[in-house]
Amino acid sequence: MSQTGILLEAGTNELEIVEFYIDEANGYRGYYGINVSKVIEISRSQTVTAMPHMRHPAILGAFPYRDGRVVPLIDTSKFLDKGGIGNSDSRVIITEFNKTRTAFLVSGVTRIHRISWKQVEAPSPLLLQMSRNSITAVVRLEGRVLFVLDVEAIVAAMNPTLSIRMDESRDGTKPEHPYHIIHADDSASIRHLVYAELEKEGRFEITQTEDGEKALELLTQYKKEAEERNVPVTQLVQGVISDIEMPNLDGLTLCRLIKEDPVLRVIPVAIFSSLISKPLARKCESVGADAQFAKPDLQAISDKMYELIENAGI
């Protein structure tokens, strides 16, 4: 089974999830999901070659893909401390995001679900702790619970060089007072990294939310406060950085709603996602995004957001 990216209409607040399962030694079957837009193929188990200096016991090795690239294979069960995949009819989910290709070994794949982001719940703090921040969302479907994997966090744990980063040697221009921006991302690990790096850089003061709905609520509050004080809304907030995949309200829909609002539309919006590709870049443009960047290059989006705010004369 393969797929080349089922592109939903921009701003419809929908997503598609590949549902898979992991069979544990105690007989329990756990259900999980990955966003279809990160999946390039689902295949049978692969013969792997050991990789030198494998950083984590969940990395089984690597195998050659048909385009000549070498893809590392992660035992998803081992990473989640579930014991490891042991069945002979296991499946491999090959993903691509952050310009990196990675494969995940799972017990089996069930089907693809198309759902609204309104059906997606943020994980509880306890679930985050128990999963080592590897669960980014929870979905209730057909009488069972699916845990949506934070595959970005898993890959970063396997290879820290792929995590979000800044250019430590660079001394960028700073405003007299930090610009206030809203950052929306459902991944706790990414929120932490973005907050730490951007605050340290000194250009921005960051307010963070875990989904687009809360970001829109914040912007609506700032809009109301600005109207009451008879000042431009850009005195209260100068920019928005948003992920695409988020519970309740996704980043493309958030951007569309901002740009459709006659007051909020002046606020620059930058999309910062692991999913940026040519088709998705066109989607970002179609909903009015001022910029879009692929993770993990935080420096590029910091520079662009600063430039957008400066050029807008905010």
Side-chain angles (χ1 to χ4, degrees), residues 21-238:
Y21 57 88
I22 292 174
D23 289 329
E24 300 180 23
N26 60 8
Y28 175 76
R29 173 170 288 184
Y31 292 92
Y32 300 84
I34 295 178
N35 193 315
V36 164
S37 56
K38 294 180 180 177
V39 178
I40 59 173
E41 184 174 336
I42 299 170
S43 67
R44 295 186 179 277
S45 57
Q46 298 281 342
T47 301
V48 298
T49 301
M51 299 168 59
H53 311 296
M54 290 194 292
R55 300 171 182 268
H56 194 283
I59 301 177
L60 300 178
F63 61 91
Y65 196 61
R66 54 176 167 264
D67 61 2
R69 293 167 65 176
V70 175
V71 181
L73 179 63
I74 297 172
D75 187 322
T76 311
S77 179
K78 277 189 179 179
F79 183 85
L80 296 172
D81 292 327
K82 305 297 183 183
I85 304 297
N87 54 307
S88 59
D89 58 344
S90 58
R91 293 292 183 269
V92 172
I93 302 175
I94 304 172
T95 66
E96 187 166 26
F97 52 89
N98 290 350
K99 302 177 182 178
T100 301
R101 196 166 288 179
T102 311
F104 295 85
L105 181 67
V106 302
S107 298
V109 174
T110 308
R111 54 171 291 193
I112 293 175
H113 300 275
R114 176 178 288 196
I115 62 174
S116 166
W117 278 107
K118 284 285 186 183
Q119 297 172 252
V120 181
E121 306 170 23
S124 67
L126 177 60
L127 179 57
L128 281 174
Q129 182 181 5
M130 292 175 61
S131 68
R132 295 181 296 177
N133 289 324
S134 61
I135 301 297
T136 191
V138 177
V139 181
R140 303 176 192 277
L141 287 174
E142 301 172 357
R144 60 184 179 275
V145 175
L146 268 64
F147 300 110
V148 181
L149 286 188
D150 189 343
V151 286
E152 297 166 51
I154 294 173
V155 170
M158 302 288 107
N159 187 352
T161 62
L162 297 175
S163 61
I164 287 175
R165 57 185 179 270
M166 297 285 280
D167 184 354
E168 298 293 342
S169 64
R170 188 179 173 282
D171 185 18
T173 305
K174 298 179 179 64
E176 183 178 351
H177 300 290
Y179 292 128
H180 178 211
I181 61 174
I182 294 173
H183 172 231
D185 198 301
D186 64 327
S187 170
S189 59
I190 291 175
R191 287 199 306 273
H192 174 77
L193 287 167
V194 169
Y195 185 90
E197 296 294 342
L198 288 186
E199 287 275 340
K200 182 172 63 178
E201 190 187 32
R203 287 174 165 183
F204 305 106
E205 174 187 306
I206 316 295
T207 298
Q208 293 186 306
T209 68
E210 63 267 27
D211 62 49
E213 187 173 71
K214 290 184 175 62
L216 187 62
E217 289 172 358
L218 267 179
L219 287 164
T220 303
Q221 290 173 17
Y222 290 132
K223 174 183 171 181
K224 182 179 179 182
E225 182 180 343
E227 290 171 348
E228 291 172 348
R229 292 169 52 183
N230 196 29
V231 298
V233 70
T234 50
Q235 279 196 18
L236 305 178
V237 58
Q238 289 82 51

Side-chain angles (χ1 to χ4, degrees), residues 240-255:
V240 175
I241 296 176
S242 177
D243 187 21
I244 291 178
E245 301 177 86
M246 295 182 291
N248 298 313
L249 192 70
D250 70 81
L252 293 176
T253 307
L254 170 65
C255 183

Side-chain angles (χ1 to χ4, degrees), residues 275-283:
L275 298 176
I276 297 299
S277 60
K278 286 184 180 180
L280 279 166
R282 289 194 292 271
K283 281 189 168 189

